[in-house]
Amino acid sequence: MTRLYLKFLTMKSVFLAVFLLMFTGLSIHAQSDKRKKEYNLGKMTLAIQGYDPVSYFDGQAEKGSAANAVVYEGVTYYFSSTAHKEIFKADPAKYEPQYGGWCAYAMGKTGDKIEVDPETFKVLNGKLFLFYNKYFNNTLKSWNKDEKNLNASADMNWKKFYH
């Protein structure tokens, strides 16, 4: 009888483990799908047009390469070096751009998802912000004029898309 009881507990444990894995997998998959839908991604779910997110924190925008790619929750990031790749892997959320990589100014001003120039950026309070910069319209300059209010407004607007 003890052997039968142990067998029952073992099977119950296996079923519980399988259920938990399936549930966790569905949750992660749903999160990845949401990120792919809401984030500013190019072909093959590529973020920041292939720029290295860690490089911004060194004060420059560097192109990454597919040889140093990382997929984080369904989003692909390229890195300019193995060292940057490893830094990102240690704390991905720290290096991801704010507002899914959409223009921070537009997100704050109107709540719209507007493309960015990956070389127009600002690191503020340890966070990466990207901006639109084409046709004599550098939104980073406008952001800087009212940064506090635009940042707060962008945070609220982004929650409409992704929370």
Side-chain angles (χ1 to χ4, degrees):
M1 185 159 191
T2 305
R3 194 176 271 177
L4 183 60
Y5 181 70
L6 287 174
K7 195 174 198 178
F8 172 75
L9 282 179
T10 303
M11 288 186 67
K12 187 175 179 183
S13 298
V14 169
F15 285 124
L16 180 61
V18 169
F19 175 76
L20 287 174
L21 285 172
M22 286 175 52
F23 180 74
T24 304
L26 288 174
S27 175
I28 290 170
H29 182 68
Q31 180 74 5
S32 293
D33 286 347
K34 184 170 186 158
R35 287 170 57 86
K36 288 177 195 175
K37 180 181 172 194
E38 299 301 339
Y39 277 53
N40 184 3
L41 304 175
K43 294 177 183 173
M44 301 180 336
T45 67
L46 183 61
I48 321 174
Q49 299 173 31
Y51 278 74
D52 175 346
V54 176
S55 70
Y56 292 101
F57 292 82
D58 294 334
Q60 55 192 356
E62 293 180 350
K63 271 290 219 182
S65 73
N68 286 313
V70 170
V71 177
Y72 173 65
E73 293 186 357
V75 177
T76 304
Y77 290 95
Y78 284 179
F79 299 90
S80 59
S81 68
T82 304
H84 279 191
K85 177 180 171 179
E86 295 305 317
I87 289 169
F88 179 86
K89 286 170 57 177
D91 190 2
K94 176 180 178 180
Y95 296 99
E96 285 195 300
Q98 297 300 293
Y99 319 122
W102 299 106
C103 175
Y105 174 79
M107 189 60 65
K109 189 71 174 176
T110 62
D112 291 330
K113 294 179 184 177
I114 302 296
E115 294 292 330
V116 298
D117 170 5
E119 294 186 3
T120 306
F121 69 96
K122 183 171 191 171
V123 175
L124 174 68
N125 298 324
K127 296 179 179 180
L128 172 60
F129 298 86
L130 300 171
F131 299 90
Y132 176 87
N133 185 6
K134 287 184 184 173
Y135 310 112
F136 308 105
N137 186 12
N138 183 346
T139 60
L140 175 57
K141 291 178 183 178
S142 300
W143 171 271
N144 286 335
K145 291 177 186 174
D146 193 18
E147 184 172 73
K148 183 179 178 182
N149 291 323
L150 287 167
N151 193 352
S153 178
D155 287 346
M156 287 177 39
N157 287 334
W158 179 242
K159 287 179 183 177
K160 294 175 190 173
F161 292 110
Y162 199 79
H163 282 95

Short mmCIF file of all heavy atoms in Angstrom, two decimals, residues 91-140:
data_model
loop_
_atom_site.label_atom_id
_atom_site.label_comp_id
_atom_site.label_asym_id
_atom_site.label_seq_id
_atom_site.Cartn_x
_atom_site.Cartn_y
_atom_site.Cartn_z
N ASP A 91 20.87 42.10 -17.20
CA ASP A 91 19.78 42.97 -16.73
C ASP A 91 19.08 43.62 -17.94
O ASP A 91 19.18 44.83 -18.16
CB ASP A 91 20.33 44.05 -15.80
CG ASP A 91 19.23 44.83 -15.09
OD1 ASP A 91 18.03 44.52 -15.27
OD2 ASP A 91 19.58 45.77 -14.35
N PRO A 92 18.36 42.83 -18.74
CA PRO A 92 17.77 43.34 -19.98
C PRO A 92 16.84 44.54 -19.79
O PRO A 92 16.88 45.49 -20.58
CB PRO A 92 16.98 42.14 -20.53
CG PRO A 92 17.50 40.96 -19.83
CD PRO A 92 18.06 41.42 -18.53
N ALA A 93 16.03 44.53 -18.77
CA ALA A 93 15.06 45.62 -18.58
C ALA A 93 15.75 46.96 -18.40
O ALA A 93 15.20 48.00 -18.77
CB ALA A 93 14.16 45.31 -17.38
N LYS A 94 16.94 46.96 -17.88
CA LYS A 94 17.69 48.20 -17.66
C LYS A 94 18.06 48.87 -18.99
O LYS A 94 18.12 50.10 -19.07
CB LYS A 94 18.96 47.91 -16.86
CG LYS A 94 19.86 49.10 -16.66
CD LYS A 94 21.09 48.75 -15.87
CE LYS A 94 22.01 49.96 -15.72
NZ LYS A 94 23.20 49.62 -14.94
N TYR A 95 18.28 48.09 -20.02
CA TYR A 95 18.80 48.61 -21.27
C TYR A 95 17.76 48.77 -22.38
O TYR A 95 18.04 49.40 -23.40
CB TYR A 95 19.96 47.74 -21.76
CG TYR A 95 21.11 47.78 -20.79
CD1 TYR A 95 21.31 46.77 -19.86
CD2 TYR A 95 21.98 48.86 -20.77
CE1 TYR A 95 22.34 46.83 -18.94
CE2 TYR A 95 23.02 48.93 -19.85
CZ TYR A 95 23.19 47.91 -18.94
OH TYR A 95 24.21 47.99 -18.03
N GLU A 96 16.59 48.23 -22.19
CA GLU A 96 15.56 48.37 -23.22
C GLU A 96 15.11 49.83 -23.31
O GLU A 96 15.02 50.51 -22.29
CB GLU A 96 14.35 47.50 -22.89
CG GLU A 96 14.57 46.04 -23.16
CD GLU A 96 13.27 45.28 -23.16
OE1 GLU A 96 12.57 45.29 -22.14
OE2 GLU A 96 12.96 44.69 -24.21
N PRO A 97 14.81 50.29 -24.53
CA PRO A 97 14.35 51.67 -24.66
C PRO A 97 12.95 51.84 -24.06
O PRO A 97 12.15 50.91 -24.05
CB PRO A 97 14.32 51.90 -26.17
CG PRO A 97 14.22 50.54 -26.77
CD PRO A 97 14.90 49.60 -25.81
N GLN A 98 12.70 53.03 -23.58
CA GLN A 98 11.39 53.35 -23.01
C GLN A 98 10.34 53.36 -24.11
O GLN A 98 10.63 53.61 -25.28
CB GLN A 98 11.44 54.71 -22.32
CG GLN A 98 12.40 54.75 -21.14
CD GLN A 98 12.01 53.75 -20.08
OE1 GLN A 98 10.98 53.87 -19.43
NE2 GLN A 98 12.83 52.72 -19.90
N TYR A 99 9.11 53.12 -23.73
CA TYR A 99 7.94 53.20 -24.62
C TYR A 99 8.07 52.29 -25.84
O TYR A 99 7.65 52.63 -26.94
CB TYR A 99 7.65 54.65 -25.03
CG TYR A 99 7.82 55.60 -23.87
CD1 TYR A 99 8.72 56.66 -23.93
CD2 TYR A 99 7.11 55.40 -22.68
CE1 TYR A 99 8.89 57.51 -22.84
CE2 TYR A 99 7.28 56.24 -21.59
CZ TYR A 99 8.18 57.29 -21.67
OH TYR A 99 8.36 58.12 -20.59
N GLY A 100 8.67 51.13 -25.61
CA GLY A 100 8.76 50.14 -26.68
C GLY A 100 9.64 50.57 -27.84
O GLY A 100 9.57 49.97 -28.91
N GLY A 101 10.45 51.58 -27.64
CA GLY A 101 11.32 52.06 -28.71
C GLY A 101 10.67 53.08 -29.62
O GLY A 101 11.25 53.49 -30.62
N TRP A 102 9.47 53.52 -29.27
CA TRP A 102 8.80 54.57 -30.03
C TRP A 102 9.31 55.94 -29.56
O TRP A 102 9.91 56.05 -28.49
CB TRP A 102 7.28 54.50 -29.85
CG TRP A 102 6.68 53.22 -30.31
CD1 TRP A 102 6.22 52.20 -29.53
CD2 TRP A 102 6.47 52.80 -31.67
NE1 TRP A 102 5.74 51.18 -30.31
CE2 TRP A 102 5.88 51.52 -31.64
CE3 TRP A 102 6.73 53.38 -32.91
CZ2 TRP A 102 5.54 50.81 -32.79
CZ3 TRP A 102 6.39 52.67 -34.06
CH2 TRP A 102 5.80 51.41 -33.99
N CYS A 103 9.04 56.97 -30.34
CA CYS A 103 9.48 58.33 -30.01
C CYS A 103 8.93 58.77 -28.66
O CYS A 103 7.71 58.82 -28.46
CB CYS A 103 9.05 59.29 -31.10
SG CYS A 103 9.43 61.02 -30.73
N ALA A 104 9.83 59.10 -27.74
CA ALA A 104 9.42 59.51 -26.39
C ALA A 104 8.62 60.81 -26.43
O ALA A 104 7.63 60.96 -25.71
CB ALA A 104 10.65 59.66 -25.50
N TYR A 105 9.04 61.75 -27.28
CA TYR A 105 8.33 63.04 -27.37
C TYR A 105 6.88 62.82 -27.83
O TYR A 105 5.95 63.34 -27.22
CB TYR A 105 9.05 64.00 -28.32
CG TYR A 105 8.27 65.26 -28.55
CD1 TYR A 105 8.27 66.28 -27.59
CD2 TYR A 105 7.51 65.43 -29.70
CE1 TYR A 105 7.52 67.43 -27.78
CE2 TYR A 105 6.77 66.59 -29.90
CZ TYR A 105 6.77 67.59 -28.94
OH TYR A 105 6.03 68.72 -29.13
N ALA A 106 6.70 62.06 -28.90
CA ALA A 106 5.34 61.81 -29.41
C ALA A 106 4.49 61.07 -28.39
O ALA A 106 3.30 61.37 -28.25
CB ALA A 106 5.41 61.03 -30.72
N MET A 107 5.10 60.12 -27.69
CA MET A 107 4.35 59.39 -26.67
C MET A 107 3.88 60.34 -25.58
O MET A 107 2.77 60.24 -25.07
CB MET A 107 5.21 58.26 -26.09
CG MET A 107 4.47 57.31 -25.18
SD MET A 107 3.08 56.42 -25.94
CE MET A 107 3.91 55.41 -27.16
N GLY A 108 4.73 61.32 -25.23
CA GLY A 108 4.36 62.29 -24.20
C GLY A 108 3.40 63.35 -24.68
O GLY A 108 2.48 63.74 -23.96
N LYS A 109 3.58 63.82 -25.89
CA LYS A 109 2.76 64.92 -26.41
C LYS A 109 1.37 64.47 -26.83
O LYS A 109 0.37 65.09 -26.48
CB LYS A 109 3.48 65.55 -27.61
CG LYS A 109 2.87 66.82 -28.10
CD LYS A 109 3.08 67.95 -27.13
CE LYS A 109 2.58 69.25 -27.73
NZ LYS A 109 2.68 70.35 -26.79
N THR A 110 1.28 63.35 -27.59
CA THR A 110 -0.01 62.94 -28.15
C THR A 110 -0.38 61.49 -27.85
O THR A 110 -1.50 61.07 -28.14
CB THR A 110 0.00 63.10 -29.69
OG1 THR A 110 1.02 62.25 -30.23
CG2 THR A 110 0.26 64.54 -30.09
N GLY A 111 0.58 60.73 -27.32
CA GLY A 111 0.32 59.31 -27.07
C GLY A 111 0.42 58.46 -28.33
O GLY A 111 -0.05 57.32 -28.34
N ASP A 112 1.04 59.01 -29.37
CA ASP A 112 1.16 58.28 -30.64
C ASP A 112 2.46 57.50 -30.71
O ASP A 112 3.48 57.90 -30.14
CB ASP A 112 1.11 59.25 -31.82
CG ASP A 112 -0.25 59.88 -32.01
OD1 ASP A 112 -1.26 59.23 -31.68
OD2 ASP A 112 -0.31 61.04 -32.48
N LYS A 113 2.40 56.41 -31.47
CA LYS A 113 3.59 55.61 -31.75
C LYS A 113 4.22 56.13 -33.04
O LYS A 113 3.69 55.94 -34.12
CB LYS A 113 3.22 54.14 -31.94
CG LYS A 113 2.69 53.47 -30.70
CD LYS A 113 2.34 52.03 -31.06
CE LYS A 113 1.72 51.29 -29.94
NZ LYS A 113 1.34 49.93 -30.35
N ILE A 114 5.34 56.82 -32.89
CA ILE A 114 6.04 57.43 -34.03
C ILE A 114 7.44 56.82 -34.13
O ILE A 114 8.12 56.63 -33.12
CB ILE A 114 6.14 58.97 -33.84
CG1 ILE A 114 4.75 59.60 -33.69
CG2 ILE A 114 6.92 59.62 -34.98
CD1 ILE A 114 3.84 59.47 -34.89
N GLU A 115 7.85 56.53 -35.36
CA GLU A 115 9.18 55.97 -35.62
C GLU A 115 10.26 56.88 -35.05
O GLU A 115 10.03 58.07 -34.81
CB GLU A 115 9.40 55.80 -37.12
CG GLU A 115 8.51 54.77 -37.76
CD GLU A 115 8.82 53.35 -37.32
OE1 GLU A 115 9.99 53.04 -37.01
OE2 GLU A 115 7.89 52.54 -37.28
N VAL A 116 11.45 56.34 -34.90
CA VAL A 116 12.57 57.10 -34.34
C VAL A 116 13.77 57.08 -35.27
O VAL A 116 13.87 56.24 -36.16
CB VAL A 116 12.99 56.53 -32.96
CG1 VAL A 116 11.87 56.65 -31.95
CG2 VAL A 116 13.49 55.10 -33.07
N ASP A 117 14.67 57.99 -34.99
CA ASP A 117 16.01 57.95 -35.55
C ASP A 117 16.86 57.36 -34.43
O ASP A 117 17.04 58.01 -33.39
CB ASP A 117 16.49 59.36 -35.90
CG ASP A 117 17.96 59.41 -36.25
OD1 ASP A 117 18.62 58.35 -36.32
OD2 ASP A 117 18.48 60.53 -36.46
N PRO A 118 17.37 56.14 -34.59
CA PRO A 118 18.08 55.51 -33.47
C PRO A 118 19.35 56.24 -33.03
O PRO A 118 19.90 55.94 -31.98
CB PRO A 118 18.41 54.12 -33.99
CG PRO A 118 18.24 54.17 -35.46
CD PRO A 118 17.32 55.30 -35.76
N GLU A 119 19.77 57.24 -33.80
CA GLU A 119 20.94 58.02 -33.39
C GLU A 119 20.55 59.29 -32.63
O GLU A 119 21.41 60.06 -32.24
CB GLU A 119 21.80 58.33 -34.61
CG GLU A 119 22.40 57.06 -35.20
CD GLU A 119 23.38 57.31 -36.33
OE1 GLU A 119 23.66 58.49 -36.63
OE2 GLU A 119 23.86 56.32 -36.90
N THR A 120 19.26 59.49 -32.43
CA THR A 120 18.78 60.63 -31.65
C THR A 120 18.19 60.07 -30.36
O THR A 120 17.12 59.45 -30.37
CB THR A 120 17.73 61.43 -32.44
OG1 THR A 120 18.28 61.79 -33.70
CG2 THR A 120 17.33 62.69 -31.69
N PHE A 121 18.91 60.27 -29.28
CA PHE A 121 18.56 59.60 -28.02
C PHE A 121 18.98 60.43 -26.83
O PHE A 121 19.72 61.39 -26.94
CB PHE A 121 19.24 58.23 -27.96
CG PHE A 121 20.74 58.32 -27.80
CD1 PHE A 121 21.34 58.24 -26.54
CD2 PHE A 121 21.56 58.49 -28.90
CE1 PHE A 121 22.71 58.32 -26.40
CE2 PHE A 121 22.94 58.58 -28.77
CZ PHE A 121 23.51 58.50 -27.51
N LYS A 122 18.49 59.98 -25.69
CA LYS A 122 18.90 60.56 -24.41
C LYS A 122 18.81 59.47 -23.35
O LYS A 122 17.85 58.71 -23.32
CB LYS A 122 17.96 61.72 -24.05
CG LYS A 122 18.35 62.43 -22.77
CD LYS A 122 17.52 63.70 -22.58
CE LYS A 122 18.10 64.53 -21.46
NZ LYS A 122 17.45 65.85 -21.40
N VAL A 123 19.81 59.41 -22.49
CA VAL A 123 19.77 58.54 -21.33
C VAL A 123 19.50 59.45 -20.13
O VAL A 123 20.26 60.38 -19.87
CB VAL A 123 21.08 57.74 -21.15
CG1 VAL A 123 21.04 56.94 -19.86
CG2 VAL A 123 21.32 56.83 -22.34
N LEU A 124 18.38 59.20 -19.48
CA LEU A 124 17.94 60.02 -18.36
C LEU A 124 17.57 59.12 -17.20
O LEU A 124 16.75 58.21 -17.35
CB LEU A 124 16.72 60.86 -18.80
CG LEU A 124 16.03 61.69 -17.74
CD1 LEU A 124 16.94 62.84 -17.29
CD2 LEU A 124 14.73 62.26 -18.29
N ASN A 125 18.17 59.37 -16.05
CA ASN A 125 17.90 58.57 -14.85
C ASN A 125 18.04 57.07 -15.12
O ASN A 125 17.23 56.27 -14.68
CB ASN A 125 16.51 58.87 -14.30
CG ASN A 125 16.37 60.32 -13.88
OD1 ASN A 125 17.31 60.93 -13.37
ND2 ASN A 125 15.20 60.89 -14.10
N GLY A 126 19.05 56.71 -15.89
CA GLY A 126 19.32 55.30 -16.18
C GLY A 126 18.36 54.66 -17.17
O GLY A 126 18.29 53.44 -17.25
N LYS A 127 17.62 55.48 -17.93
CA LYS A 127 16.67 54.95 -18.90
C LYS A 127 16.97 55.53 -20.28
O LYS A 127 17.34 56.69 -20.41
CB LYS A 127 15.23 55.29 -18.50
CG LYS A 127 14.82 54.62 -17.20
CD LYS A 127 13.42 55.00 -16.82
CE LYS A 127 13.03 54.31 -15.52
NZ LYS A 127 11.69 54.64 -15.12
N LEU A 128 16.74 54.71 -21.30
CA LEU A 128 17.00 55.10 -22.68
C LEU A 128 15.73 55.62 -23.35
O LEU A 128 14.71 54.93 -23.39
CB LEU A 128 17.54 53.90 -23.46
CG LEU A 128 17.70 54.07 -24.97
CD1 LEU A 128 18.67 55.21 -25.30
CD2 LEU A 128 18.19 52.76 -25.58
N PHE A 129 15.81 56.83 -23.90
CA PHE A 129 14.71 57.45 -24.62
C PHE A 129 15.16 57.69 -26.06
O PHE A 129 16.26 58.20 -26.28
CB PHE A 129 14.31 58.79 -23.98
CG PHE A 129 13.81 58.64 -22.57
CD1 PHE A 129 14.69 58.62 -21.50
CD2 PHE A 129 12.46 58.54 -22.31
CE1 PHE A 129 14.24 58.49 -20.20
CE2 PHE A 129 11.98 58.41 -21.01
CZ PHE A 129 12.88 58.38 -19.95
N LEU A 130 14.31 57.34 -27.03
CA LEU A 130 14.61 57.53 -28.44
C LEU A 130 13.67 58.57 -29.03
O LEU A 130 12.54 58.74 -28.54
CB LEU A 130 14.46 56.21 -29.19
CG LEU A 130 15.38 55.08 -28.71
CD1 LEU A 130 15.00 53.76 -29.36
CD2 LEU A 130 16.84 55.41 -29.00
N PHE A 131 14.11 59.24 -30.11
CA PHE A 131 13.35 60.36 -30.66
C PHE A 131 13.32 60.35 -32.19
O PHE A 131 14.25 59.88 -32.84
CB PHE A 131 13.95 61.69 -30.17
CG PHE A 131 13.91 61.82 -28.68
CD1 PHE A 131 14.97 61.35 -27.91
CD2 PHE A 131 12.81 62.35 -28.04
CE1 PHE A 131 14.93 61.44 -26.53
CE2 PHE A 131 12.77 62.44 -26.65
CZ PHE A 131 13.83 61.98 -25.90
N TYR A 132 12.27 60.94 -32.73
CA TYR A 132 12.13 61.17 -34.16
C TYR A 132 13.05 62.33 -34.54
O TYR A 132 13.12 63.33 -33.82
CB TYR A 132 10.68 61.52 -34.48
CG TYR A 132 10.41 61.87 -35.92
CD1 TYR A 132 10.12 60.89 -36.85
CD2 TYR A 132 10.46 63.19 -36.35
CE1 TYR A 132 9.86 61.20 -38.18
CE2 TYR A 132 10.21 63.53 -37.67
CZ TYR A 132 9.92 62.53 -38.58
OH TYR A 132 9.68 62.84 -39.88
N ASN A 133 13.72 62.22 -35.69
CA ASN A 133 14.59 63.30 -36.14
C ASN A 133 14.73 63.23 -37.65
O ASN A 133 15.65 62.63 -38.18
CB ASN A 133 15.96 63.21 -35.47
CG ASN A 133 16.85 64.39 -35.81
OD1 ASN A 133 16.44 65.34 -36.46
ND2 ASN A 133 18.09 64.32 -35.37
N LYS A 134 13.75 63.84 -38.35
CA LYS A 134 13.77 63.90 -39.81
C LYS A 134 13.12 65.20 -40.26
O LYS A 134 12.30 65.78 -39.54
CB LYS A 134 12.99 62.73 -40.42
CG LYS A 134 13.68 61.40 -40.32
CD LYS A 134 12.87 60.33 -41.04
CE LYS A 134 13.53 58.98 -40.83
NZ LYS A 134 12.74 57.89 -41.35
N TYR A 135 13.45 65.60 -41.48
CA TYR A 135 12.80 66.75 -42.10
C TYR A 135 12.80 67.98 -41.19
O TYR A 135 11.79 68.63 -40.99
CB TYR A 135 11.37 66.40 -42.55
CG TYR A 135 11.28 65.14 -43.35
CD1 TYR A 135 10.66 64.01 -42.85
CD2 TYR A 135 11.86 65.07 -44.61
CE1 TYR A 135 10.60 62.83 -43.59
CE2 TYR A 135 11.82 63.89 -45.36
CZ TYR A 135 11.18 62.79 -44.84
OH TYR A 135 11.13 61.62 -45.56
N PHE A 136 13.96 68.29 -40.64
CA PHE A 136 14.15 69.46 -39.78
C PHE A 136 13.28 69.43 -38.53
O PHE A 136 12.91 70.46 -37.99
CB PHE A 136 13.89 70.76 -40.57
CG PHE A 136 14.67 70.84 -41.84
CD1 PHE A 136 14.05 70.64 -43.06
CD2 PHE A 136 16.04 71.07 -41.80
CE1 PHE A 136 14.78 70.69 -44.25
CE2 PHE A 136 16.78 71.13 -42.98
CZ PHE A 136 16.14 70.94 -44.21
N ASN A 137 12.94 68.24 -38.07
CA ASN A 137 12.11 68.09 -36.87
C ASN A 137 12.79 67.13 -35.90
O ASN A 137 12.54 65.94 -35.91
CB ASN A 137 10.71 67.58 -37.25
CG ASN A 137 9.77 67.55 -36.06
OD1 ASN A 137 10.06 68.11 -35.01
ND2 ASN A 137 8.65 66.90 -36.22
N ASN A 138 13.65 67.69 -35.07
CA ASN A 138 14.34 66.90 -34.04
C ASN A 138 13.53 67.00 -32.75
O ASN A 138 13.58 68.00 -32.05
CB ASN A 138 15.76 67.43 -33.83
CG ASN A 138 16.54 66.61 -32.82
OD1 ASN A 138 15.98 65.81 -32.08
ND2 ASN A 138 17.84 66.83 -32.78
N THR A 139 12.77 65.96 -32.45
CA THR A 139 11.87 66.02 -31.29
C THR A 139 12.62 65.98 -29.96
O THR A 139 12.02 66.31 -28.93
CB THR A 139 10.82 64.90 -31.34
OG1 THR A 139 11.47 63.63 -31.34
CG2 THR A 139 9.94 65.04 -32.58
N LEU A 140 13.89 65.62 -29.97
CA LEU A 140 14.68 65.66 -28.73
C LEU A 140 14.75 67.10 -28.22
O LEU A 140 14.66 67.35 -27.01
CB LEU A 140 16.08 65.09 -28.94
CG LEU A 140 17.05 65.20 -27.76
CD1 LEU A 140 16.49 64.53 -26.51
CD2 LEU A 140 18.40 64.59 -28.13
#
